[in-house]
Amino acid sequence: MEQKQVRVRFAPSPTGPLHIGGVRTALYNYLFARQHGGKLIFRIEDTDSQRFVPGAEEYIREAFDWLGIRFDEGVGFGGDKGPYRQSERRDIYKKYVQQLLDEGKAYYAFDTPEELDAKRKEVENFQYDAHTRHLMRNSLTLPADEVKGLIDSGAQYVVRFKIEPGEDVHVDDIIRGDVKINSSVLDDKVLYKSADQLPTYHLANIVDDHLMEITHVIRGEEWLPSSPLHVLLYRAFGWADTMPRFAHLPLLLKPDGKGKLSKRDGDRLGFPVFPLEWHGASGEVCAGYREDGYLPEAVINFLALLGWNPGTDQELLTMDELVNLFDLAKCSKAGAKFDYVKGLWFNREYLQRSDNARLAPAFDAILRENGIQAPMERVEAVVGMMKMKKINFVKDLWPLCDFFFTAPQVYDREDKFVRKNWKEGTADDMRELAGLLAGLTDFSVESQRAVIDAWAESTGKKPWNAWRVALVGAGKGPDMYELAAFLGKEETLARMERAIAALQ
Ligand code: GLU
């Protein structure tokens, strides 16, 4: 039998910035699609006009651009199963709602919000279902001509799905196995609202997954409770044969306790829960991974391992390796703790592996903020010397690197490192060292090393820390030869002279 081409979708609702859990969902869909030579579709589920937030769709696209998650079809990507924005598919949904009504699988309900509220007060744990629908105002209880009259006169109504009670509904989940729920616990879900002439999430989601020939629905655990309803809808439409397979991904949990990861955890512990910075309409700003200085491949690698792992010790994985190794069936059922400290570690690792030229512009911007303008190749050289120090972000370089660009202004005798390394007789050693350096015509690392190492060896002197005091003013920085070569002969000797004078 010919295997159907894998088609998966990421279907966000544009209600604000995309949460990092949504990014993980999109990533798993992307990995799964690529590993099966399939297609990833980008669908916008914007049927809830009340919750629509301008700019959210653009934000989501920009986030995936940055992260390198590419779509094959969908809003902004073309494809022959569009439109891919649900608000542009009203007529399609109407037709399918009508099908269910015509076949008696759905019904009109005219109950006003006030009537529903009154019922909820009257009946404990009221649920609109097989046991209560006969008490309500709907096309199952009202005479046909009255129903027609109400609709013709423009009365507001909803269409509800008529769920038959007492049946075990099975959801075959790739991660969770057979999930069983009895249909009696489900309510007659609203599928359509005349007020905005739009379907609800459930109807639109099922119709679109069907028409877009989705083969696998990979989404967050929060959608698991909706899935029995979705199974029943597929069946009601007669699409059970082509129903996609489900995979409900584990929740992302707080780093330090029980419960779902929230924005508050990020604010409290100081890490972003959004891929990009978000500027809300009321002026609030939410931190983003990009603006905080994370590299996209670090974020991808970190997220990929929240809920799945390759079963080996290997933690650093490129996108291509992830595509090869990822296994949907091996995702965990249990929630994944959002270990943001691990996220910092990933960033550090990727920073150290990045080309200096890639990191230099970000460092250059920080230098400029501090009033320093340097040629880009010098900025790159400093990044190269210092990125292996334990820094998590490019911005951490500045306090470690100021001396490359500005000579120490004062030499603090009370500084521990200075006190320990500048003693009686140090000034004489430094004069001698300066004399040797002055004699070099080639000031490269190798040439310095040959002469100074030999001198140190024959005299038994260890000039390195005192030399560091002179050039840096403190106990930090790279290898001394590298630093001196970077500064050049003139600047190196000038700093040594000033230190000798100041510390006499
Ligand atoms: N629109 C839903 C969301 O915002 C999609 C859920 C699904 O994938 O079915 O996540």
Side-chain angles (χ1 to χ4, degrees):
M1 202 177 84
E2 203 196 323
Q3 276 268 303
K4 255 204 299 185
Q5 183 187 47
V6 163
R7 292 175 58 84
V8 293
R9 84 302 195 267
F10 182 65
S13 301
T15 56
L18 179 64
H19 189 272
I20 199 73
V23 177
R24 199 250 341 233
T25 298
L27 171 63
Y28 281 19
N29 274 282
Y30 174 79
L31 296 176
F32 187 76
R34 274 200 47 202
Q35 114 182 138
H36 289 92
K39 296 262 188 282
L40 173 60
I41 290 125
F42 182 59
R43 184 169 77 217
I44 292 291
E45 303 210 324
D46 58 347
T47 57
D48 189 347
S49 48
Q50 309 262 309
R51 295 180 61 217
F52 179 82
V53 172
E57 184 182 312
E58 293 72 15
Y59 172 98
I60 295 169
R61 296 229 351 230
E62 195 179 330
F64 291 131
D65 264 354
W66 177 64
L67 288 161
I69 294 179
R70 313 259 174 258
F71 292 85
D72 303 295
E73 250 179 73
V75 178
F77 301 96
D80 58 6
K81 297 194 163 53
Y84 294 90
R85 196 183 276 111
Q86 290 187 330
S87 57
E88 294 166 18
R89 297 170 66 79
R90 289 165 195 261
D91 294 341
I92 300 174
Y93 304 128
K94 268 193 196 153
K95 188 179 123 204
Y96 286 100
V97 172
Q98 196 58 50
Q99 179 188 330
L100 293 182
L101 285 165
D102 292 346
E103 294 175 358
K105 293 170 179 165
Y107 59 91
Y108 296 101
F110 301 95
D111 318 273
T112 63
E114 294 75 29
E115 286 166 344
L116 287 167
D117 272 347
K119 250 309 171 252
R120 283 190 199 106
K121 289 211 180 85
E122 188 187 317
V123 182
E124 215 184 319
N125 297 326
F126 171 78
Q127 170 166 291
Y128 210 120
D129 62 16
H131 300 287
T132 57
R133 60 171 86 108
H134 67 280
L135 305 169
M136 309 302 290
R137 288 203 315 128
N138 54 50
S139 56
L140 302 172
T141 57
L142 301 172
D145 53 347
E146 192 177 336
V147 170
K148 187 168 181 309
L150 278 167
I151 292 172
D152 290 348
S153 70
Q156 297 294 3
Y157 63 85
V158 298
V159 174
R160 287 184 181 269
F161 189 34
K162 189 171 171 227
I163 293 190
E164 305 300 340
E167 186 207 344
D168 279 340
V169 184
H170 294 267
V171 179
D172 171 25
D173 189 290
I174 295 172
I175 298 169
R176 285 149 214 281
D178 176 36
V179 180
K180 189 175 77 175
I181 262 205
N182 194 280
S183 62
S184 297
V185 306
L186 303 175
D187 65 330
D188 288 354
K189 271 278 175 305
V190 173
L191 301 179
Y192 182 86
K193 294 182 183 144
S194 68
D196 48 15
Q197 303 216 24
L198 275 170
T200 57
Y201 155 74
H202 303 287
L203 189 281
N205 190 268
I206 294 321
V207 167
D208 287 351
D209 281 350
H210 173 71
L211 295 178
M212 294 174 189
E213 295 176 18
I214 299 303
T215 57
H216 298 78
V217 167
I218 303 167
R219 62 185 173 188
E221 183 178 339
E222 62 273 27
W223 300 99
L224 184 61
S226 302
S227 55
L229 169 71
H230 294 179
V231 169
L232 290 175
L233 274 168
Y234 280 108
R235 278 210 243 142
F237 280 118
W239 301 333
D241 289 351
T242 55
M243 185 165 73
R245 295 206 61 198
F246 292 97
H248 289 94
L249 305 175
L251 279 179
L252 296 185
L253 304 176
K254 293 182 187 308
D256 58 349
K258 289 214 170 65
K260 222 172 113 176
L261 172 72
S262 72
K263 176 174 173 314
R264 292 241 304 279
D265 301 316
D267 294 343
R268 183 168 56 87
L269 298 165
F271 63 88
V273 297
F274 301 110
L276 314 180
E277 199 168 83
W278 168 262
H279 296 258
S282 50
E284 84 277 15
V285 179
C286 304
Y289 278 85
R290 181 177 66 181
E291 289 74 9
D292 270 19
Y294 285 82
L295 297 170
E297 60 270 41
V299 177
I300 291 285
N301 197 156
F302 169 52
L303 289 179
L305 298 182
L306 289 174
W308 168 83
N309 68 73
T312 64
D313 288 343
Q314 191 183 355
E315 291 187 291
L316 292 170
L317 296 151
T318 64
M319 191 71 108
D320 287 337
E321 289 173 311
L322 289 170
V323 168
N324 283 326
L325 295 168
F326 182 68
D327 187 347
L328 193 53
K330 293 222 173 89
C331 289
S332 71
K333 291 196 255 292
K337 249 193 194 20
F338 196 80
D339 184 1
Y340 69 98
V341 178
K342 192 77 196 191
L344 295 173
W345 177 83
F346 275 111
N347 209 54
R348 181 155 78 225
E349 293 293 321
Y350 279 98
L351 216 66
Q352 295 182 347
R353 286 165 174 75
S354 291
D355 284 350
N356 302 336
R358 178 185 179 197
L359 304 176
F363 187 45
D364 184 53
I366 297 168
L367 290 178
R368 280 165 197 274
E369 276 167 30
N370 285 283
I372 292 165
Q373 289 204 30
M376 200 49 99
E377 63 279 8
R378 298 211 20 110
V379 179
E380 277 178 33
V382 171
V383 168
M385 279 183 270
M386 299 301 283
K387 71 182 179 190
M388 299 312 279
K389 306 280 171 190
K390 293 201 163 166
I391 55 156
N392 295 328
F393 301 107
V394 168
K395 63 184 176 229
D396 297 342
L397 281 173
W398 169 244
L400 302 179
C401 295
D402 48 348
F403 59 86
F404 282 103
F405 303 98
T406 42
Q409 299 304 304
V410 283
Y411 291 92
D412 179 6
R413 243 182 250 280
E414 296 313 309
D415 179 273
K416 240 173 98 186
F417 185 79
V418 175
R419 221 174 2 163
K420 190 158 167 245
N421 295 297
W422 199 283
K423 304 222 166 88
E424 285 271 339
T426 300
D428 289 338
D429 291 348
M430 285 300 112
R431 279 193 199 96
E432 212 176 313
L433 175 61
L436 291 169
L437 292 167
L440 295 175
T441 38
D442 172 4
F443 212 63
S444 69
V445 170
E446 297 71 29
S447 146
Q448 291 181 52
R449 193 191 310 279
V451 173
I452 309 302
D453 275 8
W455 169 69
E457 175 122 5
S458 64
T459 58
K461 291 189 199 297
K462 293 200 171 62
W464 323 115
N465 282 348
W467 195 15
R468 189 175 295 283
V469 168
L471 298 193
V472 177
K476 63 183 180 185
D479 170 79
M480 288 309 296
Y481 296 137
E482 280 189 43
L483 174 57
F486 175 87
L487 294 175
K489 185 155 127 183
E490 202 182 319
E491 175 69 8
T492 299
L493 294 177
R495 288 190 187 188
M496 292 174 77
E497 213 170 288
R498 275 204 299 275
I500 292 166
L503 292 165
Q504 285 280 3

mmCIF file of all heavy atoms in Angstrom, residues 9 11-13 45 201 205 219 223, ligand 1:
data_model
loop_
_atom_site.group_PDB
_atom_site.id
_atom_site.type_symbol
_atom_site.label_atom_id
_atom_site.label_comp_id
_atom_site.label_asym_id
_atom_site.label_seq_id
_atom_site.Cartn_x
_atom_site.Cartn_y
_atom_site.Cartn_z
ATOM 1 N N ARG A 9 0.483 20.186 11.010
ATOM 2 C CA ARG A 9 0.238 21.628 11.018
ATOM 3 C C ARG A 9 0.559 22.215 12.360
ATOM 4 O O ARG A 9 0.473 21.562 13.398
ATOM 5 C CB ARG A 9 -1.200 21.933 10.587
ATOM 6 C CG ARG A 9 -2.289 21.850 11.661
ATOM 7 C CD ARG A 9 -2.420 20.538 12.356
ATOM 8 N NE ARG A 9 -3.631 20.365 13.110
ATOM 9 C CZ ARG A 9 -3.787 20.642 14.414
ATOM 10 N NH1 ARG A 9 -2.790 21.097 15.135
ATOM 11 N NH2 ARG A 9 -4.938 20.422 15.011
ATOM 12 N N ALA A 11 -0.988 25.374 14.367
ATOM 13 C CA ALA A 11 -2.217 26.151 14.177
ATOM 14 C C ALA A 11 -2.474 27.110 15.335
ATOM 15 O O ALA A 11 -3.391 26.923 16.121
ATOM 16 C CB ALA A 11 -3.389 25.184 14.019
ATOM 17 N N PRO A 12 -1.648 28.145 15.466
ATOM 18 C CA PRO A 12 -1.815 29.033 16.611
ATOM 19 C C PRO A 12 -3.035 29.946 16.479
ATOM 20 O O PRO A 12 -3.487 30.227 15.370
ATOM 21 C CB PRO A 12 -0.542 29.879 16.583
ATOM 22 C CG PRO A 12 -0.158 29.934 15.142
ATOM 23 C CD PRO A 12 -0.544 28.588 14.585
ATOM 24 N N SER A 13 -3.543 30.364 17.612
ATOM 25 C CA SER A 13 -4.560 31.407 17.646
ATOM 26 C C SER A 13 -3.829 32.710 17.945
ATOM 27 O O SER A 13 -3.061 32.766 18.914
ATOM 28 C CB SER A 13 -5.581 31.103 18.744
ATOM 29 O OG SER A 13 -6.183 29.852 18.481
ATOM 30 N N GLU A 45 -5.700 30.140 13.458
ATOM 31 C CA GLU A 45 -7.029 29.837 14.000
ATOM 32 C C GLU A 45 -7.571 31.080 14.706
ATOM 33 O O GLU A 45 -7.409 31.241 15.919
ATOM 34 C CB GLU A 45 -6.941 28.623 14.937
ATOM 35 C CG GLU A 45 -6.346 27.409 14.212
ATOM 36 C CD GLU A 45 -6.850 26.071 14.719
ATOM 37 O OE1 GLU A 45 -7.085 25.924 15.925
ATOM 38 O OE2 GLU A 45 -7.005 25.148 13.873
ATOM 39 N N TYR A 201 -13.759 26.888 17.732
ATOM 40 C CA TYR A 201 -12.484 26.225 17.504
ATOM 41 C C TYR A 201 -12.649 24.773 17.053
ATOM 42 O O TYR A 201 -12.024 24.335 16.088
ATOM 43 C CB TYR A 201 -11.642 26.311 18.788
ATOM 44 C CG TYR A 201 -10.625 25.213 18.914
ATOM 45 C CD1 TYR A 201 -9.463 25.226 18.132
ATOM 46 C CD2 TYR A 201 -10.824 24.141 19.784
ATOM 47 C CE1 TYR A 201 -8.541 24.204 18.214
ATOM 48 C CE2 TYR A 201 -9.900 23.122 19.876
ATOM 49 C CZ TYR A 201 -8.762 23.151 19.093
ATOM 50 O OH TYR A 201 -7.858 22.137 19.166
ATOM 51 N N ASN A 205 -11.357 23.477 13.484
ATOM 52 C CA ASN A 205 -10.153 22.668 13.603
ATOM 53 C C ASN A 205 -10.310 21.325 12.884
ATOM 54 O O ASN A 205 -9.438 20.902 12.112
ATOM 55 C CB ASN A 205 -9.912 22.476 15.115
ATOM 56 C CG ASN A 205 -8.582 21.853 15.446
ATOM 57 O OD1 ASN A 205 -8.503 20.637 15.564
ATOM 58 N ND2 ASN A 205 -7.541 22.656 15.599
ATOM 59 N N ARG A 219 0.186 18.218 19.269
ATOM 60 C CA ARG A 219 -0.152 19.456 19.972
ATOM 61 C C ARG A 219 0.008 19.271 21.464
ATOM 62 O O ARG A 219 0.262 18.167 21.959
ATOM 63 C CB ARG A 219 -1.577 19.882 19.628
ATOM 64 C CG ARG A 219 -2.616 18.859 20.052
ATOM 65 C CD ARG A 219 -4.004 19.267 19.580
ATOM 66 N NE ARG A 219 -4.980 18.215 19.844
ATOM 67 C CZ ARG A 219 -6.223 18.224 19.404
ATOM 68 N NH1 ARG A 219 -6.667 19.231 18.679
ATOM 69 N NH2 ARG A 219 -7.035 17.235 19.688
ATOM 70 N N TRP A 223 -4.798 20.086 25.020
ATOM 71 C CA TRP A 223 -5.851 19.760 24.058
ATOM 72 C C TRP A 223 -6.337 18.327 24.178
ATOM 73 O O TRP A 223 -7.284 17.924 23.495
ATOM 74 C CB TRP A 223 -5.368 20.028 22.621
ATOM 75 C CG TRP A 223 -4.998 21.461 22.468
ATOM 76 C CD1 TRP A 223 -3.741 21.974 22.514
ATOM 77 C CD2 TRP A 223 -5.886 22.570 22.343
ATOM 78 N NE1 TRP A 223 -3.785 23.344 22.408
ATOM 79 C CE2 TRP A 223 -5.092 23.730 22.302
ATOM 80 C CE3 TRP A 223 -7.277 22.695 22.268
ATOM 81 C CZ2 TRP A 223 -5.638 25.009 22.185
ATOM 82 C CZ3 TRP A 223 -7.825 23.966 22.140
ATOM 83 C CH2 TRP A 223 -7.011 25.101 22.101
HETATM 84 N N1 GLU B 1 -5.572 26.952 17.867
HETATM 85 C C1 GLU B 1 -5.133 25.983 18.805
HETATM 86 C C2 GLU B 1 -4.006 26.605 19.619
HETATM 87 O O1 GLU B 1 -4.018 27.786 19.754
HETATM 88 C C3 GLU B 1 -4.688 24.749 18.071
HETATM 89 C C4 GLU B 1 -4.766 23.498 18.854
HETATM 90 C C5 GLU B 1 -4.543 22.305 17.953
HETATM 91 O O2 GLU B 1 -3.398 22.142 17.541
HETATM 92 O O3 GLU B 1 -5.478 21.617 17.644
HETATM 93 O O4 GLU B 1 -3.114 25.996 20.118
#
